[in-house]
Amino acid sequence: MMEELAHHILDVARNSLEAGATRVEITVEEDPTGDLLRFSVVDNGSGIPPYVQRQLANPFFTTKSGKKVGLGLPFLQAAVERCGGNLEIRSDVGRGTTVVATFPYYCWDRPPLGDMPRTIVSLLVGNGHLDLCYRHIFNGQSFELDTGEIRSRLKGIPLDTPEVLLWLRQYLAENLNILSGGGGYEVARRAG
Amino acid sequence: MKSLAELDKLREKLQEEMRLREGKEDVKVVVTMGTCGIASGAREVLTAILEEISKRGLKGVTVTQTGCAGLCHCEPLVEVERPGRDKVTYGHVDEKKAREIVVSHLVNGQIIKEWTIK
């Protein structure tokens, strides 16, 4: 079980890395007015062969040798179903994969979005060369981070140097806070 | 408020430090981040390690991640590899333990035996 949607996002994006993706686009869209929370992970990895695609929701299926279970997507599927949301996975072998999960914003069973800055930073640990584009939309306003821009500013210093990653985490946290109009926007929903 | 211009200053500082370290081999810290790892708190462990390394100004440590190591019941796992030594694997690591591993193992060179798994 994952406590936060941000954990699911990290898990899905890690699949992208394992599929050899060099570019990953993560979009989180929060639309409280429209009762919608949607996230998508789009990669240019190796894609999922059709015989595997048929088994994605099956927890007792995995392509890893020596293992019996593969729980990542089944967990996400279960979280989506608990809320009456929707999970869509499109994949082309050799081109990449797109995962889109949609939840009703106001649903008791929806996990909170959680710590997105931590998720983004964790993805970049040991993956300084990854082209990661993170877009966060809140009530129509958006914030975007592209590691390409960050890397060009760093002029050869690895993006995954601890100091740089912690700086990024703070940078993301502050910008998301501004985006959501001063923080704690999920508190009201969880407090009830 | 953090701005991208501020990043330039950080870069200059890091460039200076890199020049001083040139040619030395790094210690490697690996956190396993399969579904099992993430669900049991590997993300929190990973950021705690980054924070502790940064706080103590430790240089020459490469932090990286990998997938499930097949020891899901011991997650979160943290592996430490010092050049020329055997790999040490810690199991059931949380944020507090992660910080202690950085101090004891990486700073002082002391393996915390009771947290390791075979």
Side-chain angles (χ1 to χ4, degrees):
Chain A
M1 287 284 289
M2 303 279 184
E3 288 167 15
E4 305 178 353
L5 293 180
H7 278 138
H8 283 292
I9 294 170
L10 177 58
D11 193 32
V12 172
R14 282 234 14 118
N15 291 346
S16 300
L17 299 181
E18 304 243 339
T22 55
R23 181 169 177 81
V24 178
E25 291 170 33
I26 297 174
T27 306
V28 174
E29 190 181 352
E30 293 183 84
D31 180 9
T33 325
D35 192 21
L36 174 95
L37 193 157
R38 177 165 45 212
F39 71 76
S40 64
V41 178
V42 181
D43 73 41
N44 66 349
S46 58
I48 309 166
Y51 84 96
V52 180
Q53 280 189 44
R54 283 193 290 274
Q55 302 282 349
L56 288 179
N58 178 1
F60 300 105
F61 177 86
T62 178
T63 52
K64 290 204 168 173
S65 60
K67 290 193 69 187
K68 295 190 173 101
V69 294
L71 295 175
L73 288 168
F75 273 173
L76 178 57
Q77 176 84 36
V80 161
E81 280 174 8
R82 266 200 304 280
C83 309
N86 183 47
L87 178 66
E88 195 187 337
I89 301 167
R90 295 186 298 268
S91 189
D92 282 319
V93 174
R95 286 170 166 250
T97 302
T98 297
V99 174
V100 187
T102 310
F103 295 84
Y105 196 86
Y106 299 100
C107 170
W108 284 114
D109 294 321
R110 174 174 72 76
L113 178 60
D115 195 338
M116 279 309 292
R118 227 204 269 245
T119 279
I120 298 296
V121 160
S122 299
L123 262 177
L124 291 169
V125 169
N127 296 310
H129 294 287
L130 179 69
D131 277 317
L132 179 66
C133 179
Y134 171 52
R135 199 176 297 115
H136 198 122
I137 305 163
F138 186 87
N139 266 342
Q141 302 278 89
S142 75
F143 165 78
E144 197 173 307
L145 174 95
D146 200 317
T147 54
E149 192 191 349
I150 304 289
R151 216 175 288 119
S152 71
R153 278 199 175 255
L154 287 170
K155 299 193 172 105
I157 292 288
L159 184 74
D160 57 343
T161 309
E163 285 85 353
V164 174
L165 289 176
L166 292 171
W167 185 90
L168 263 180
R169 182 184 173 191
Q170 193 69 27
Y171 175 72
L172 283 168
E174 286 179 6
N175 277 287
L176 293 185
N177 196 33
I178 290 168
L179 186 68
S180 64
Y185 52 91
E186 271 200 329
V187 172
R189 198 186 63 80
R190 305 297 297 177
Chain B
M1 176 66 202
K2 301 255 179 269
S3 72
L4 287 177
E6 199 189 301
L7 194 56
D8 296 341
K9 276 192 208 145
L10 179 61
R11 185 201 69 227
E12 283 163 19
K13 179 177 151 265
L14 293 173
Q15 276 169 333
E16 185 54 39
E17 288 168 0
M18 263 182 108
R19 265 193 292 279
L20 296 173
R21 266 204 50 80
E22 215 133 293
K24 292 184 193 156
E25 205 180 338
D26 276 7
V27 179
K28 214 164 117 192
V29 179
V30 185
V31 179
T32 52
M33 298 266 274
T35 301
C36 45
I38 294 169
S40 50
R43 189 189 68 169
E44 286 62 29
V45 164
L46 190 60
T47 33
I49 290 171
L50 293 177
E51 280 171 2
E52 208 56 34
I53 286 174
S54 174
K55 198 165 90 187
R56 306 203 168 256
L58 270 185
K59 301 298 159 203
V61 181
T62 307
V63 187
T64 171
Q65 58 180 300
T66 184
C68 171
L71 289 162
C72 311
H73 56 292
C74 293
E75 291 282 353
L77 294 175
V78 173
E79 300 169 352
V80 180
E81 280 180 76
R82 296 185 84 99
R85 308 268 178 86
D86 285 343
K87 184 172 79 180
V88 176
T89 305
Y90 294 97
H92 300 292
V93 181
D94 56 18
E95 286 185 69
K96 195 161 163 279
K97 284 183 174 175
R99 290 175 196 278
E100 276 193 54
I101 289 167
V102 172
V103 176
S104 179
H105 197 150
L106 299 185
V107 179
N108 298 326
Q110 297 289 325
I111 299 169
I112 308 173
K113 288 224 175 61
E114 58 270 37
W115 295 348
T116 60
I117 51 174
K118 297 289 163 308

